[in-house]
Amino acid sequence: MPRCRGATLTTTLPPIITDWFVRKGWSPRQHQLDVLASWQADASALLIAPTGAGKTLAGFLPTLVDLADGQFEGLHTLYISPLKALAVDVQRNLNAPILEMGLKVTAETRTGDTPASKRARQRAKPPHILLTTPEQLCLLISHPHAELFFGSLRRIVLDELHALVTSKRGELLSLALARIAKLAPDLRITALSATVARPDLLRDWIAQPVPEQPTHLLTASGGAPPVLEILETEQRLPWAGHSANYAHRDLYETIKRHKTTLLFVNTRSQAEMLFQGLWAVNDDMLPIALHHGSLSVEQRRKVESAMVSGQLKAVVCTSTLDLGIDWGDVDLVVQVGAPKGSSRMLQRIGRANHRLDEPSKAVLVPSNRFEVLECEAALEAVAEGHQDSEDPVSGGYDVLAQHILGMACAAPLAADDLYDEIRRAWPYRDIERDKFDRVLEFVATGGYALKAYERYARLKQTEDGKWRIANPQVAQQYRLNIGTIIEEPMVKVRLIRQRGLKKGQSNSPVGYGGRVLGEMEEYFFGTLLVGDTFMFGGEIVAFEGMRDNEAFVSRAQATNPKIPSYMGGKFPLSTYLAERVRKMLDTPESWKALPDQVSDWLRLQRDISVLPSRDSLLVETFPRGSQNFLVCYPFEGRLAHQTLGMLLTRRLERARARPLGFVASEYALAVWGLGDLSALIRTDRLSLDELFSEDMLGDDLEAWLDESALMKRTFRNCAIISGLIERRHPGKEKSGRQITMSSDLIYDVLYQHEPDHILIQATRRDAARGLLDIERLGDMLRRIRGHIVHKALPRISPLAVPVMLDIGKEPIFGEGRESAMADAADELMREALGQS
């Protein structure tokens, strides 16, 4: 597959397009012409270009050239976006030049928000350009008319490809592309991405569905380097926590000095806290908005429209605004909390100025002292242009099961033909035939242990050996439950106008029927009593009660409302940044770039204990009160540390060290117990080399998985994705409790009677890859083999203070929590310095 860095063919633009460029005073950029040249060479292409380089126009330029004569009928180009908001934004930006050129070209969106009447009309008379999401694409190919609908398709444009290929959404998309390549043999794929560590892998990913044709790798020259700095503050930096309350006043003054600011955080709960904190200091009543995935569609669209029209001074947001949306007037990006990866930081920085020839400006705001080190590492990585995006993932059996059922909904399928087809999807290119047959058997009958139950019989075999759906309800249920995004069970948050409940009806709030503010995880409301206040959608509300899948709230006043703790949205610390942090700790001459209060902290650690070196693991043991502690510093992220903690406590139990518990942070792990760990290690009754041996990922891991609730929770998600358990039925949706009960029962049956069931295999794969970070933990254990440094201390070390603050902390909310943590940190530091 050739690599192209410049147009190798003569590219010709129709006069109607050339005139438009002239009227605008523009000329097409070289990489835009490169994409057109690849199309005219009958090739697919992956374009790697910085944010603001005009990737969207590059992706659509071949389409506009092809449609300029106004003679084409049917669907010509399919644009696929990872975000509904991005599809809507791109349609708006695409329609402007179409109208200005006077082209007879129709471009429409199709997302989960598109009315059913419009979807039906699009199936009957498709637009020339359809902008959609992976889930809607899978819906389209599951209909019997899919061959007619896609038969005219010439191009697919995949936007922000790096954001799709690392998840189950990417696996499902790859299978859909393999099907469309069969329906539209003349198809060519153009993929766009700004942040990619290994471009060749992504090029192979898009080449797999159309292997007979070349796929070019195109690169655009870089734009102006970004201007990036860490917030300077006179305030005291917190030891732990993620609220960055100390920075609210500084951030507010920064917002005032700029036209429009995007403030990114890593979780929705952080977004709510930051938004409230900024409004608390908003003396000038600046227009500041909030945007995250749990808010209602109407609220998000309102914020997006206000941004486009320049009505907002700042927006606090999560990853919902990470990708591609063209906010032309944004002149500053703020990352509150460590970015967790240099590629993610580069992506977010690109939202500022969004123009190739102007530098993007960004400010990093660490939430605690360890995050200062991570922010400094990210700043250096961005300056070097280093990418640490994740690689594409191999395909899961649960996703394949969903796709097989969708293909049977479209038409009866032949197993041999479908097997050949799915191997044209990159994640499934190496799947063995026996695994495919087992997944097909599962879709048809539920598998050996479930085939006796008629409700799991979704496919029937016809006389000619093909597989068809058992009844029309199977297709209806499939389309209601399509997709791979499994969030925690959600309930609608509905605002009522009157506080209180009807007399004698504890579950029926007065005045229900008000507007929906958004959605929240179901579990959160199990922690509330009627009258409890919490923050949601940027305002304080009081909990009034529940009815079915709705929580009712009223507006309230409160000084310390609770902050909803959302289950999703947390990012792991990238391996690359973790390695840079370890290097920084091991290189005292680099500390001059750090704030004095952080470098002084590291010097105290060096004087009282030792500092972690780049390639070793520091293990500290010390007594505190009636207990003994073991603290280690792997810097491998919370997931890997939690898994390590689970396995270490099992081993310590066998060594009679009497462990009581553990707590993990992004940077460290603390285990505590009643046994004298320092003495056990000193007398060789506890070997650290054996304690941290790689074999803990064998029998110990298997035994722990067999006992843990993690497997059941992971199985629930796999069962939903595969279609074994359905969340939605016509006119109603199952509660989280109903889904959990159903999945737990099925898991117990399969685990007892068919432990190698294809869904049990899928569950183990997901647990190891995502929830436990086994691969990363294994790499760490291999790296430290023979390089474990033990330091027995008489008391806590300065470096242990942040993780020790997480032990046994009470659920305090608001300013009280920050004050309590600060007091606890002061006490721990006095202990470390021998002053208590």
Side-chain angles (χ1 to χ4, degrees), residues 75 78 80 110 123 130 133-150 153 156 172-184 402-411 418 421 478-479 482:
L75 180 63
L78 192 65
I80 300 171
R110 181 188 176 97
R123 285 198 299 269
L130 185 64
T133 60
E135 291 76 20
Q136 289 298 314
L137 178 60
C138 292
L139 274 174
L140 286 167
I141 63 173
S142 74
H143 283 279
H145 67 269
E147 185 170 2
L148 179 62
F149 185 84
F150 290 107
L153 186 68
I156 290 181
L172 193 61
L173 173 61
S174 73
L175 291 165
L177 294 178
R179 167 49 59 103
I180 293 176
K182 180 179 179 180
L183 300 177
Q402 183 180 132
H403 178 73
I404 289 174
L405 183 57
M407 295 306 90
C409 292
L418 186 59
E421 179 185 307
Y478 166 80
R479 294 181 181 121
I482 201 168

Side-chain angles (χ1 to χ4, degrees), residues 188-228:
R188 298 296 174 264
I189 299 172
T190 297
L192 312 172
S193 188
T195 52
V196 182
R198 300 176 64 188
D200 286 344
L201 277 183
L202 266 68
R203 179 182 61 181
D204 292 345
W205 198 95
I206 66 169
Q208 193 72 22
V210 285
E212 297 85 2
Q213 300 298 326
T215 301
H216 295 162
L217 175 57
L218 311 174
T219 56
S221 58
V227 176
L228 184 61

Side-chain angles (χ1 to χ4, degrees), residues 204-319:
D204 292 345
W205 198 95
I206 66 169
Q208 193 72 22
V210 285
E212 297 85 2
Q213 300 298 326
T215 301
H216 295 162
L217 175 57
L218 311 174
T219 56
S221 58
V227 176
L228 184 61
E229 60 186 30
I230 297 175
L231 180 73
E232 293 186 5
T233 180
E234 298 298 323
Q235 301 298 315
R236 184 184 183 193
L237 288 165
W239 293 96
H242 299 283
S243 66
N245 281 353
Y246 77 93
H248 289 168
R249 177 59 68 177
D250 289 331
L251 284 175
Y252 181 68
E253 294 301 323
T254 301
I255 290 169
K256 287 171 65 175
R257 293 194 300 270
H258 291 83
K259 286 188 287 188
T260 309
T261 302
L262 281 182
L263 299 104
F264 282 105
V265 293
N266 293 333
T267 68
R268 287 170 283 175
S269 56
Q270 290 171 338
E272 294 279 354
M273 287 188 285
L274 178 59
F275 181 76
Q276 286 292 326
L278 290 175
W279 267 102
V281 297
N282 191 0
D283 303 328
D284 303 289
M285 296 302 291
L286 301 179
I288 301 174
L290 176 66
H291 192 290
H292 63 68
S294 287
L295 300 178
S296 66
V297 172
E298 294 76 16
Q299 178 66 19
R300 280 180 277 144
R301 296 293 177 267
K302 183 178 178 182
V303 171
E304 292 159 15
S305 297
M307 278 291 292
V308 171
S309 60
Q311 299 175 32
L312 296 177
K313 191 70 173 172
V315 177
V316 178
C317 55
T318 59
S319 56

Side-chain angles (χ1 to χ4, degrees), residues 623-816:
R624 186 168 189 263
S626 61
Q627 296 174 355
N628 289 273
F629 291 82
L630 181 155
V631 180
C632 59
Y633 306 90
F635 294 93
E636 295 294 348
R638 190 181 301 271
L639 284 178
H641 294 171
Q642 286 176 336
T643 304
L644 179 62
M646 297 167 192
L647 299 177
L648 280 182
T649 50
R650 294 179 68 90
R651 293 195 158 192
L652 289 169
E653 187 70 39
R654 288 202 301 270
R656 301 182 182 277
R658 295 180 290 169
L660 296 175
F662 73 89
V663 65
S665 72
E666 285 286 287
Y667 315 100
L669 168 70
V671 182
W672 64 93
L674 298 175
D676 187 341
L677 296 172
S678 296
L680 288 172
I681 295 171
R682 186 171 59 249
T683 58
D684 291 331
R685 284 181 288 168
L686 184 64
S687 165
L688 288 179
D689 286 331
E690 292 180 7
L691 188 64
F692 288 90
S693 171
E694 289 174 68
D695 63 12
M696 71 165 59
L697 301 182
D699 292 342
D700 279 345
L701 177 63
E702 289 297 312
W704 179 80
L705 282 174
D706 290 343
E707 298 169 7
S708 76
L710 175 67
M711 282 290 283
K712 284 189 174 180
R713 191 167 78 244
T714 310
F715 176 82
R716 184 197 70 180
N717 293 346
C718 290
I720 291 172
I721 290 172
S722 70
L724 187 68
I725 293 176
E726 294 158 341
R727 292 169 291 177
R728 302 180 189 93
H729 295 268
K732 64 178 181 178
E733 186 165 344
K734 284 184 179 179
S735 69
R737 187 172 301 160
Q738 290 171 321
I739 292 173
T740 299
M741 288 177 62
S742 298
S743 67
D744 285 356
L745 284 171
I746 296 173
Y747 177 83
D748 291 338
V749 169
L750 295 182
Y751 193 79
Q752 181 176 356
H753 298 289
E754 196 180 354
D756 68 337
H757 189 278
I758 203 73
L759 273 197
I760 297 291
Q761 292 184 36
T763 300
R764 287 184 175 275
R765 167 189 179 266
D766 280 6
R769 188 175 75 181
L771 298 172
L772 300 176
D773 224 343
I774 296 299
E775 181 178 357
R776 185 164 178 179
L777 179 57
D779 290 342
M780 186 274 290
L781 294 174
R782 284 186 287 275
R783 173 173 58 82
I784 66 169
R785 187 191 305 147
H787 299 282
I788 300 176
V789 177
H790 174 233
K791 185 71 175 179
L793 299 168
R795 55 186 177 270
I796 185 176
S797 74
L799 209 62
V801 168
V803 72
M804 292 286 286
L805 285 171
D806 287 333
I807 297 175
K809 63 188 179 188
E810 295 298 320
I812 307 168
F813 298 92
E815 293 181 7

